[in-house]
Amino acid sequence: MSDVKSKTLDAVIVGSGMAGMYMLHRLRKQGLNVLAVEAGTGVGGAWYWNRYPGCRCDVPSIEYSFSFSKELEQEWDWTEAMVSQPELERYLNHVADRFDLRKDIQFGTRVTSANYDESSARWTVTTDQGDVFDTNYCVMATGCLTIPNYPDINNADAFQGEVYHTATWPKEEVDFTGKRVAVIGCGSSGVQTIPIIAEKAEQLIAFQRSPVYTFPARNAPMKPEFLAQAKKDYPEIRAKQRNCASGIAGYTGPAKAEGEVEKPKSSRKILGLTAEQRQAELEEFGMGAIPNYVDAFFNEDANAIVRDMFDQSLKAIVKDPQKADALSPKDYPLHCKRPVIDTNYYEAFNKDSVSIVDLRESAIEELTATGLRTSDGSEYEFDILVYATGFDAMTGGLTAIDIRGIGGESIKEKWADGPTAYLGLQVSGFPNLFTITGPGSPSILSNVIVSIEYHCEWIDQTIQYLRDNDIKAMEAKQSAADAWADHVNEAAQGTMYVAPTCNSWYLGSNIDGKKRMFMPYLGGVDKYDQKCKDVIAKGYEGFALSR
Ligand code: N01
């Protein structure tokens, strides 16, 4: 008897993170026979896999939540201003239960391939569990930060101690008590986990190649009066989220209480301020003022000034000048990478037990059985190695699956010269396959849950339209995808995101051999939203529809 489990479906959704969950809810409501396929054993996507100590969202909890259900908004109580991974995972499990999503999610199953058949305009999706799904539509809810990046280090398997990656952290607690720990990488994940691990470890060595610009998160327990007011204000908060560039309304809650510290001002230009004014702002608002000077996004002189302010602040916190120097991001501008926010990151380096190895001085040469060796011959010994080395971002979740469209062309081949997707929603040559927060959409440059909801609604509306109008296949035109890719590229020009000294996962430059290309759309959620609506209003301009 064959182990193959075949099913005919209207839609397959790959992934059950926030995108997959909402997409499932929408398509099921439309009456589709739909299944979400999920590699993990639970819902949550990024918030399921990234369970390393200290993992926390950097968008205010009130705003990092689903807006599609008024009841859900009212019944869920966030406990912190910026929510931790365990609480977010609990919230997403609550959503799964509340909307009875689990019955249409197949867990513990990884999609391995998706093949398009032109004559039937249907996809065949296979999994590592032997499933074969025959489906009309494929929705890739595979996330922007899914596939962990393991750096290519010599003798990587030689190390005999425990090894973890922040992006695939085990569910069981890792005990760092009395252990010597090495952390490679210092993006958002490294910066969040280092201070927490350092609380227990006997010794922590941070191996850093590109120290980050990081700013205090100012997280705090949720105030009951703030939460109560936010629940009343949700309609305005949601409207504002969709009508601004970032998808973050910047909700400030009830009128400021007496004695409460004012948030750093934004939209200011540093070049317009005298040296005394800059100093006064730094003293009044602390480091948090630094990322808010708008001209530093575009102007190198402005950027140089804020970098000086940053170094000054860093040196004021980190007592050891050598550590402060190693933590200084000298080689690239502020606003090149995604801004990082932290809780007591620099303060952790004031502990004698926490040291830093500046890989700009001597790179990692190889791993050894007991630790690692750097190019200057220094050897470091430790018991636990933590890779906080990020992801094959934006495209990794898609290229990890053998997706083949018209003529058997794979998405990997299609994107050999960089990923292009019309509106980040569909790739030319791959009809009836949709990508939620795909390359070319605001996605991770915005409050991603807002972008996810928007995409799910657009795809839902579109599939309804295709069914109502007996349209068998919908495909992005190559000309439209190319024009959109040009526009995405133009939108980033002149910003620090694409400065020659900038290497980031936005550009794909953290992955060997990946084409350097700015992938997310910088034009803003509001403008993007309008563009997508216009495309529909013009009868799906840029898409070929065939009966
Ligand atoms: O990954 P990263 P991340 N040798 O790519 C280093 C989201 N997120 O997981 O820059 C030595 O930012 C690499 O160095 P370099 C958020 O969107 C959000 O931290 O390549 N080092 C870098 O320091 C974020 O932007 C939250 O020189 C090596 C680090 O590893 C995104 O996820 C929390 C190396 C990777 O940093 C990714 O963040 C966590 C090597 N061979 C994540 N290879 C919040 O919501 C790589 N590195 C707050």
Side-chain angles (χ1 to χ4, degrees):
M1 215 170 87
S2 161
D3 282 343
V4 173
K5 295 160 267 176
S6 302
K7 242 184 219 168
T8 301
L9 297 157
D10 295 322
V12 166
I13 298 166
V14 186
S16 73
M18 294 183 300
M21 292 169 75
Y22 185 40
M23 193 74 258
L24 175 60
H25 178 62
R26 297 286 305 204
L27 292 183
R28 222 170 47 178
K29 263 184 135 177
Q30 201 189 120
L32 259 59
N33 181 13
V34 52
L35 180 75
V37 184
E38 167 60 52
T41 57
V43 296
W47 299 111
Y48 168 90
W49 295 103
N50 290 265
R51 51 181 74 238
Y52 58 83
C55 183
R56 182 177 294 285
C57 184
D58 57 2
V59 173
S61 318
I62 291 295
E63 303 212 32
Y64 198 82
S65 55
F66 284 117
S67 74
F68 67 83
S69 161
K70 304 300 159 219
E71 296 75 24
L72 176 63
E73 278 175 349
Q74 295 304 316
E75 73 199 13
W76 186 262
D77 292 336
W78 298 106
T79 67
E80 288 182 277
M82 283 180 192
V83 70
S84 66
Q85 178 274 335
E87 190 168 341
L88 252 171
E89 196 187 13
R90 276 199 300 280
Y91 168 72
L92 293 170
N93 273 293
H94 169 73
V95 175
D97 293 336
R98 194 187 196 291
F99 298 98
D100 199 14
L101 298 179
R102 282 178 226 281
K103 70 173 194 281
D104 293 310
I105 304 175
Q106 183 170 321
F107 291 105
T109 305
R110 193 172 282 281
V111 168
T112 48
S113 75
N115 281 279
Y116 183 68
D117 175 63
E118 274 173 76
S119 57
S120 63
R122 293 184 69 85
W123 286 88
T124 303
V125 176
T126 64
T127 76
D128 64 354
Q129 301 300 311
D131 306 281
V132 179
F133 302 124
D134 170 43
T135 180
N136 213 334
Y137 307 105
C138 263
V139 184
M140 308 306 291
T142 39
C144 293
L145 299 162
T146 308
I147 302 296
N149 171 38
Y150 283 91
D152 186 13
I153 298 177
N154 290 332
N155 297 327
D157 295 335
F159 181 62
Q160 297 298 305
E162 294 168 52
V163 179
Y164 301 98
H165 194 298
T166 48
T168 50
W169 203 264
K171 285 183 183 159
E172 306 72 44
E173 193 187 346
V174 178
D175 187 6
F176 292 102
T177 315
K179 296 281 173 57
R180 298 166 303 166
V181 183
V183 179
I184 302 178
C186 54
S188 301
S189 306
V191 164
Q192 286 186 334
T193 207
I194 283 171
I196 307 293
I197 296 178
E199 284 172 11
K200 291 208 172 146
E202 179 187 296
Q203 181 197 90
L204 185 149
I205 312 173
F207 291 89
Q208 304 207 346
R209 188 169 65 184
S210 310
V212 277
Y213 297 93
T214 172
F215 302 94
R218 293 166 164 247
N219 185 34
M222 180 67 74
K223 290 185 185 152
E225 66 273 19
F226 182 93
L227 184 63
Q229 189 63 44
K231 286 187 179 185
K232 287 187 195 143
D233 293 341
Y234 258 129
E236 295 93 79
I237 296 172
R238 300 310 190 189
K240 208 167 167 195
Q241 284 181 328
R242 291 212 176 185
N243 285 299
C244 68
S246 64
I248 302 176
Y251 182 70
T252 49
K256 195 160 63 73
E258 208 177 320
E260 201 170 302
V261 181
E262 197 182 329
K263 289 236 172 72
K265 292 183 173 60
S266 58
S267 310
R268 303 253 293 171
K269 287 190 178 174
I270 195 75
L271 288 176
L273 303 181
T274 64
E276 290 72 31
Q277 285 171 318
R278 287 172 204 153
Q279 193 59 34
E281 295 217 341
L282 207 47
E283 278 162 24
E284 188 178 355
F285 302 121
M287 279 181 107
I290 294 172
N292 294 330
Y293 298 107
V294 285
D295 43 352
F297 278 91
F298 313 96
N299 184 299
E300 284 178 22
D301 294 336
N303 205 280
I305 295 169
V306 293
R307 289 164 72 178
D308 280 348
M309 289 166 76
F310 183 87
D311 263 351
Q312 187 189 328
S313 309
L314 167 59
K315 282 178 189 147
I317 306 173
V318 180
K319 307 294 176 224
D320 177 336
Q322 268 185 327
K323 284 184 184 176
D325 189 59
L327 286 163
S328 168
K330 307 169 193 137
D331 313 325
Y332 66 95
L334 175 65
H335 303 306
C336 137
K337 299 181 188 232
R338 184 178 158 105
V340 177
I341 61 172
D342 71 87
T343 303
N344 297 328
Y345 174 64
Y346 290 129
E347 287 79 357
F349 287 90
N350 285 331
K351 293 183 177 182
D352 291 338
S353 58
V354 180
S355 59
I356 176 163
V357 174
D358 187 344
L359 298 176
R360 295 169 297 193
E361 303 285 327
S362 48
I364 297 173
E365 187 76 20
E366 62 173 351
L367 286 189
T368 65
T370 53
L372 68 76
R373 186 176 297 117
T374 50
S375 55
D376 62 356
S378 303
E379 297 214 18
Y380 301 89
E381 296 207 335
F382 39 85
D383 309 303
I384 300 180
L385 171 58
V386 175
Y387 286 104
T389 44
F391 302 85
D392 181 358
M394 300 214 64
T395 55
L398 293 162
T399 54
I401 301 170
D402 187 17
I403 304 173
R404 291 179 184 271
I406 292 174
E409 186 182 29
S410 76
I411 206 151
K412 246 188 182 164
E413 289 158 357
K414 179 83 187 175
W415 283 352
D417 270 336
T420 55
Y422 184 36
L423 303 170
L425 277 161
Q426 221 193 31
V427 184
S428 177
F430 297 79
N432 293 354
L433 181 136
F434 299 94
T435 50
I436 301 178
T437 61
S441 68
S443 56
I444 31 71
L445 273 183
S446 65
N447 179 0
V448 76
I449 198 159
V450 174
S451 288
I452 282 172
E453 282 195 329
Y454 185 68
H455 266 188
C456 291
E457 287 155 21
W458 193 96
I459 293 166
D460 180 39
Q461 184 182 347
T462 297
I463 290 180
Q464 182 79 64
Y465 176 85
L466 301 181
R467 295 171 72 220
D468 289 349
N469 292 280
D470 293 326
I471 293 164
K472 195 170 154 194
M474 172 180 189
E475 184 197 353
K477 292 179 185 165
Q478 190 62 54
S479 55
D482 289 344
W484 183 251
D486 288 346
H487 176 60
V488 171
N489 180 38
E490 270 162 31
Q493 291 313 307
T495 69
M496 294 299 158
Y497 286 115
V498 292
T501 50
C502 179
N503 288 309
S504 69
W505 58 259
Y506 290 137
L507 288 161
S509 48
N510 64 328
I511 300 295
D512 286 344
K514 194 163 172 177
K515 167 97 176 172
R516 184 182 167 93
M517 175 173 166
F518 191 73
M519 294 181 281
Y521 179 51
L522 200 53
V525 168
D526 45 357
K527 287 201 186 112
Y528 174 80
D529 192 353
Q530 194 52 54
K531 167 72 185 172
C532 293
K533 285 190 174 114
D534 290 348
V535 162
I536 294 184
K538 291 178 185 166
Y540 286 95
E541 184 184 50
F543 290 95
L545 308 177
S546 48
R547 288 200 157 79

PDB file of all heavy atoms in Angstrom, residues 507-524:
ATOM      1  N   LEU A 507      19.664  43.861   1.757  1.00  0.00           N
ATOM      2  CA  LEU A 507      20.337  43.830   0.463  1.00  0.00           C
ATOM      3  C   LEU A 507      20.731  42.411   0.056  1.00  0.00           C
ATOM      4  O   LEU A 507      21.296  42.208  -1.025  1.00  0.00           O
ATOM      5  CB  LEU A 507      21.611  44.689   0.515  1.00  0.00           C
ATOM      6  CG  LEU A 507      21.410  46.201   0.551  1.00  0.00           C
ATOM      7  CD1 LEU A 507      22.664  46.904   1.071  1.00  0.00           C
ATOM      8  CD2 LEU A 507      21.039  46.736  -0.816  1.00  0.00           C
ATOM      9  N   GLY A 508      20.498  41.473   0.926  1.00  0.00           N
ATOM     10  CA  GLY A 508      20.898  40.083   0.643  1.00  0.00           C
ATOM     11  C   GLY A 508      22.390  39.875   0.805  1.00  0.00           C
ATOM     12  O   GLY A 508      22.908  38.791   0.527  1.00  0.00           O
ATOM     13  N   SER A 509      23.103  40.914   1.272  1.00  0.00           N
ATOM     14  CA  SER A 509      24.563  40.800   1.273  1.00  0.00           C
ATOM     15  C   SER A 509      25.098  40.027   2.475  1.00  0.00           C
ATOM     16  O   SER A 509      26.310  39.897   2.621  1.00  0.00           O
ATOM     17  CB  SER A 509      25.203  42.191   1.177  1.00  0.00           C
ATOM     18  OG  SER A 509      24.610  43.073   2.093  1.00  0.00           O
ATOM     19  N   ASN A 510      24.215  39.524   3.332  1.00  0.00           N
ATOM     20  CA  ASN A 510      24.680  38.672   4.439  1.00  0.00           C
ATOM     21  C   ASN A 510      24.820  37.212   4.010  1.00  0.00           C
ATOM     22  O   ASN A 510      25.295  36.385   4.765  1.00  0.00           O
ATOM     23  CB  ASN A 510      23.711  38.761   5.639  1.00  0.00           C
ATOM     24  CG  ASN A 510      22.323  38.226   5.304  1.00  0.00           C
ATOM     25  OD1 ASN A 510      21.876  38.340   4.177  1.00  0.00           O
ATOM     26  ND2 ASN A 510      21.659  37.638   6.266  1.00  0.00           N
ATOM     27  N   ILE A 511      24.369  36.912   2.782  1.00  0.00           N
ATOM     28  CA  ILE A 511      24.401  35.518   2.306  1.00  0.00           C
ATOM     29  C   ILE A 511      25.362  35.427   1.116  1.00  0.00           C
ATOM     30  O   ILE A 511      25.194  36.151   0.119  1.00  0.00           O
ATOM     31  CB  ILE A 511      22.985  35.059   1.862  1.00  0.00           C
ATOM     32  CG1 ILE A 511      21.999  35.151   3.028  1.00  0.00           C
ATOM     33  CG2 ILE A 511      23.000  33.657   1.254  1.00  0.00           C
ATOM     34  CD1 ILE A 511      22.275  34.218   4.199  1.00  0.00           C
ATOM     35  N   ASP A 512      26.346  34.536   1.220  1.00  0.00           N
ATOM     36  CA  ASP A 512      27.324  34.379   0.145  1.00  0.00           C
ATOM     37  C   ASP A 512      26.621  34.051  -1.165  1.00  0.00           C
ATOM     38  O   ASP A 512      25.762  33.168  -1.211  1.00  0.00           O
ATOM     39  CB  ASP A 512      28.302  33.225   0.475  1.00  0.00           C
ATOM     40  CG  ASP A 512      29.281  33.640   1.553  1.00  0.00           C
ATOM     41  OD1 ASP A 512      29.394  34.854   1.803  1.00  0.00           O
ATOM     42  OD2 ASP A 512      29.908  32.742   2.146  1.00  0.00           O
ATOM     43  N   GLY A 513      26.990  34.760  -2.217  1.00  0.00           N
ATOM     44  CA  GLY A 513      26.480  34.454  -3.552  1.00  0.00           C
ATOM     45  C   GLY A 513      25.111  35.038  -3.850  1.00  0.00           C
ATOM     46  O   GLY A 513      24.631  34.941  -4.983  1.00  0.00           O
ATOM     47  N   LYS A 514      24.474  35.657  -2.854  1.00  0.00           N
ATOM     48  CA  LYS A 514      23.137  36.220  -3.109  1.00  0.00           C
ATOM     49  C   LYS A 514      23.316  37.582  -3.789  1.00  0.00           C
ATOM     50  O   LYS A 514      24.170  38.375  -3.377  1.00  0.00           O
ATOM     51  CB  LYS A 514      22.387  36.377  -1.776  1.00  0.00           C
ATOM     52  CG  LYS A 514      20.897  36.625  -1.926  1.00  0.00           C
ATOM     53  CD  LYS A 514      20.181  36.358  -0.598  1.00  0.00           C
ATOM     54  CE  LYS A 514      18.729  36.782  -0.656  1.00  0.00           C
ATOM     55  NZ  LYS A 514      18.003  36.462   0.574  1.00  0.00           N
ATOM     56  N   LYS A 515      22.515  37.823  -4.799  1.00  0.00           N
ATOM     57  CA  LYS A 515      22.611  39.068  -5.565  1.00  0.00           C
ATOM     58  C   LYS A 515      22.322  40.261  -4.646  1.00  0.00           C
ATOM     59  O   LYS A 515      21.332  40.238  -3.901  1.00  0.00           O
ATOM     60  CB  LYS A 515      21.588  38.993  -6.695  1.00  0.00           C
ATOM     61  CG  LYS A 515      21.330  40.277  -7.396  1.00  0.00           C
ATOM     62  CD  LYS A 515      22.123  40.421  -8.659  1.00  0.00           C
ATOM     63  CE  LYS A 515      21.712  41.709  -9.361  1.00  0.00           C
ATOM     64  NZ  LYS A 515      22.534  42.033 -10.494  1.00  0.00           N
ATOM     65  N   ARG A 516      23.178  41.287  -4.711  1.00  0.00           N
ATOM     66  CA  ARG A 516      22.958  42.483  -3.896  1.00  0.00           C
ATOM     67  C   ARG A 516      21.820  43.299  -4.517  1.00  0.00           C
ATOM     68  O   ARG A 516      21.934  43.792  -5.626  1.00  0.00           O
ATOM     69  CB  ARG A 516      24.242  43.309  -3.859  1.00  0.00           C
ATOM     70  CG  ARG A 516      24.167  44.536  -2.951  1.00  0.00           C
ATOM     71  CD  ARG A 516      25.479  45.304  -3.020  1.00  0.00           C
ATOM     72  NE  ARG A 516      25.336  46.618  -2.425  1.00  0.00           N
ATOM     73  CZ  ARG A 516      25.608  46.901  -1.145  1.00  0.00           C
ATOM     74  NH1 ARG A 516      26.036  45.978  -0.345  1.00  0.00           N
ATOM     75  NH2 ARG A 516      25.450  48.127  -0.694  1.00  0.00           N
ATOM     76  N   MET A 517      20.746  43.399  -3.814  1.00  0.00           N
ATOM     77  CA  MET A 517      19.568  44.105  -4.337  1.00  0.00           C
ATOM     78  C   MET A 517      18.673  44.463  -3.152  1.00  0.00           C
ATOM     79  O   MET A 517      18.402  43.608  -2.307  1.00  0.00           O
ATOM     80  CB  MET A 517      18.824  43.169  -5.293  1.00  0.00           C
ATOM     81  CG  MET A 517      17.533  43.688  -5.821  1.00  0.00           C
ATOM     82  SD  MET A 517      16.952  42.511  -7.090  1.00  0.00           S
ATOM     83  CE  MET A 517      15.277  43.076  -7.270  1.00  0.00           C
ATOM     84  N   PHE A 518      18.251  45.710  -3.080  1.00  0.00           N
ATOM     85  CA  PHE A 518      17.406  46.115  -1.952  1.00  0.00           C
ATOM     86  C   PHE A 518      16.010  45.512  -2.151  1.00  0.00           C
ATOM     87  O   PHE A 518      15.315  45.834  -3.113  1.00  0.00           O
ATOM     88  CB  PHE A 518      17.338  47.640  -1.861  1.00  0.00           C
ATOM     89  CG  PHE A 518      16.714  48.105  -0.585  1.00  0.00           C
ATOM     90  CD1 PHE A 518      17.410  48.010   0.608  1.00  0.00           C
ATOM     91  CD2 PHE A 518      15.431  48.612  -0.562  1.00  0.00           C
ATOM     92  CE1 PHE A 518      16.839  48.418   1.811  1.00  0.00           C
ATOM     93  CE2 PHE A 518      14.849  49.023   0.635  1.00  0.00           C
ATOM     94  CZ  PHE A 518      15.562  48.928   1.819  1.00  0.00           C
ATOM     95  N   MET A 519      15.582  44.664  -1.237  1.00  0.00           N
ATOM     96  CA  MET A 519      14.398  43.844  -1.499  1.00  0.00           C
ATOM     97  C   MET A 519      13.062  44.425  -1.018  1.00  0.00           C
ATOM     98  O   MET A 519      12.059  44.285  -1.702  1.00  0.00           O
ATOM     99  CB  MET A 519      14.605  42.441  -0.922  1.00  0.00           C
ATOM    100  CG  MET A 519      15.715  41.671  -1.622  1.00  0.00           C
ATOM    101  SD  MET A 519      15.963  40.006  -0.967  1.00  0.00           S
ATOM    102  CE  MET A 519      16.912  40.332   0.496  1.00  0.00           C
ATOM    103  N   PRO A 520      13.019  45.050   0.167  1.00  0.00           N
ATOM    104  CA  PRO A 520      11.688  45.553   0.578  1.00  0.00           C
ATOM    105  C   PRO A 520      11.343  46.892  -0.074  1.00  0.00           C
ATOM    106  O   PRO A 520      12.230  47.564  -0.618  1.00  0.00           O
ATOM    107  CB  PRO A 520      11.818  45.711   2.096  1.00  0.00           C
ATOM    108  CG  PRO A 520      13.272  45.807   2.372  1.00  0.00           C
ATOM    109  CD  PRO A 520      14.020  45.189   1.240  1.00  0.00           C
ATOM    110  N   TYR A 521      10.082  47.264  -0.023  1.00  0.00           N
ATOM    111  CA  TYR A 521       9.630  48.522  -0.647  1.00  0.00           C
ATOM    112  C   TYR A 521       9.619  49.630   0.399  1.00  0.00           C
ATOM    113  O   TYR A 521       8.952  49.511   1.442  1.00  0.00           O
ATOM    114  CB  TYR A 521       8.238  48.326  -1.245  1.00  0.00           C
ATOM    115  CG  TYR A 521       7.692  49.589  -1.886  1.00  0.00           C
ATOM    116  CD1 TYR A 521       8.455  50.300  -2.808  1.00  0.00           C
ATOM    117  CD2 TYR A 521       6.422  50.067  -1.577  1.00  0.00           C
ATOM    118  CE1 TYR A 521       7.964  51.452  -3.403  1.00  0.00           C
ATOM    119  CE2 TYR A 521       5.917  51.220  -2.166  1.00  0.00           C
ATOM    120  CZ  TYR A 521       6.704  51.900  -3.074  1.00  0.00           C
ATOM    121  OH  TYR A 521       6.226  53.052  -3.661  1.00  0.00           O
ATOM    122  N   LEU A 522      10.311  50.714   0.065  1.00  0.00           N
ATOM    123  CA  LEU A 522      10.503  51.806   1.020  1.00  0.00           C
ATOM    124  C   LEU A 522       9.482  52.934   0.839  1.00  0.00           C
ATOM    125  O   LEU A 522       9.518  53.929   1.544  1.00  0.00           O
ATOM    126  CB  LEU A 522      11.932  52.352   0.821  1.00  0.00           C
ATOM    127  CG  LEU A 522      12.616  53.144   1.903  1.00  0.00           C
ATOM    128  CD1 LEU A 522      12.608  52.418   3.226  1.00  0.00           C
ATOM    129  CD2 LEU A 522      14.053  53.439   1.489  1.00  0.00           C
ATOM    130  N   GLY A 523       8.592  52.763  -0.107  1.00  0.00           N
ATOM    131  CA  GLY A 523       7.656  53.852  -0.421  1.00  0.00           C
ATOM    132  C   GLY A 523       6.586  54.087   0.637  1.00  0.00           C
ATOM    133  O   GLY A 523       5.857  55.076   0.587  1.00  0.00           O
ATOM    134  N   GLY A 524       6.459  53.180   1.597  1.00  0.00           N
ATOM    135  CA  GLY A 524       5.482  53.372   2.671  1.00  0.00           C
ATOM    136  C   GLY A 524       4.228  52.537   2.476  1.00  0.00           C
ATOM    137  O   GLY A 524       3.779  52.302   1.350  1.00  0.00           O
TER     138      GLY A 524
END
